[in-house]
Amino acid sequence: MVCALGAAICFGTATVLQAVATRAATTGGGGDAALLLRALRQWRYMAGLGLDGLGFVFQIAALRSLPIYAVGAALASSLAVTAVVAARLLKVRLSGVEWAAVGVVCAGLAMLGLASGAEGDRAGSTALKWAMLGTAGAVLLLGLVGGRLPERGRALTLGLGAGFGFGVVEVAVRLIDSLSPSTLVGNPATYALLVGGGAAFLLLTTALQRGSVTTATAGLVIGETIGPAAVGVVWLGDRTREGLEWLAVLGFLVAVVGALALARFGEAPAEGTVEDPVQGAEQT
């Protein structure tokens, strides 16, 4: 659980750092490509990318030792981290309800930590590996046509699709039982991980640019938690500690509901100002 929480902290903090860099980069002209190039020249954006990479490493480590349902709920809690960091760095004011939602997420994760058992001991079948690759392909296809969807329901559809893509990554990590090059090349789960992750990023980017961010983020949270958790329990043998099934279910639901209440923090906060420590030192 420590690795899962570490991943959530990395992802949540990276969101805020990249938000700060993106907001600063919008001062110039040009299209999306120019905006990205300006953002890449800022240390905060690069630091955010570094945290994303570190978070992915933590995520893989967590998925190798914890049930998927516990890791998925922990990753959804990155929205709580984003909210707290945004309140600190961007001076975004959290309402009482939002602070309560942060507490709800923490309570849900605590219950999951108490109830979670070890990861399931079932080896994924070949059919499941191909199913994950097929799902990843479907998500990629949705990403290619996502921008053409009608505005109504587009954000939710793309957000759910992104969640399914990230869910494929979660399951695929469990289906890769050897890191030897020859085994990786012949394992459909390897390609499911690559295609699913890339497609999820494409869908999420499109959703955040062209639709309601709150709706897209809510869809993302639902897609990346419920489906993978079911796969882990039904096909991979994920279980809880004996007699604590009810606590795991309750903790999972509480954590996800709390994350959904904080869905607006899936977007770069648009309020407040950020003081650059270097500029502050120069002014003094």
Side-chain angles (χ1 to χ4, degrees):
M1 184 60 79
V2 172
C3 287
L5 293 177
I9 292 172
C10 288
F11 291 144
T13 305
T15 297
V16 179
L17 291 175
Q18 290 164 348
V20 174
T22 302
R23 288 172 58 193
T26 57
T27 55
D32 293 339
L35 172 63
L36 178 59
L37 289 175
R38 288 196 299 272
L40 287 171
R41 290 197 293 266
Q42 301 197 34
W43 69 267
R44 288 190 182 93
Y45 195 87
M46 298 306 298
L49 290 179
L51 283 173
D52 281 334
L54 181 60
F56 184 65
V57 173
F58 280 140
Q59 178 184 358
I60 292 176
L63 286 167
R64 304 301 292 184
S65 59
L66 286 175
I68 294 177
Y69 65 79
V71 177
L75 294 180
S77 75
S78 65
L79 291 175
V81 176
T82 299
V84 173
V85 176
R88 176 70 176 176
L89 294 184
L90 297 181
K91 312 302 181 186
V92 176
R93 292 195 176 191
L94 299 186
S95 67
V97 172
E98 287 167 335
W99 278 117
V102 171
V104 165
V105 169
C106 294
L109 291 176
M111 286 186 277
L112 271 175
L114 290 173
S116 296
E119 67 170 341
D121 56 1
R122 293 184 201 164
S125 65
T126 301
L128 180 59
K129 295 175 183 178
W130 282 106
M132 289 299 102
L133 181 56
T135 302
V139 172
L140 178 59
L141 181 61
L142 179 59
L144 295 177
V145 302
R148 302 176 183 177
L149 293 174
E151 183 174 353
R152 184 176 183 180
R154 177 171 55 195
L156 180 59
T157 301
L158 293 176
L160 279 170
F164 291 145
F166 288 125
V168 167
V169 172
E170 294 175 19
V171 176
V173 169
R174 287 279 298 276
L175 297 177
I176 296 175
D177 49 12
S178 173
L179 297 180
S180 66
S182 59
T183 303
L184 287 174
V185 169
N187 190 342
T190 303
Y191 306 102
L193 188 153
L194 297 174
V195 176
F201 181 78
L202 174 63
L203 264 71
L204 185 59
T205 300
T206 305
L208 297 182
Q209 287 178 341
R210 303 184 182 181
S212 166
V213 173
T214 299
T215 302
T217 307
L220 172 70
V221 170
I222 294 172
E224 73 175 347
T225 53
I226 297 177
V231 172
V233 171
V234 176
W235 283 286
L236 298 178
D238 287 347
R239 292 291 182 267
T240 65
R241 295 181 182 177
E242 187 175 355
L244 293 181
E245 295 85 355
W246 65 272
L247 185 61
V249 172
L250 179 61
F252 178 85
L253 293 176
V254 166
V256 171
V257 169
L260 290 175
L262 294 167
R264 79 180 182 95
F265 288 97
E267 180 184 21
E271 310 171 20
T273 58
V274 182
E275 180 181 354
D276 192 315
V278 176
Q279 293 179 348
E282 290 176 351
Q283 292 174 357
T284 57

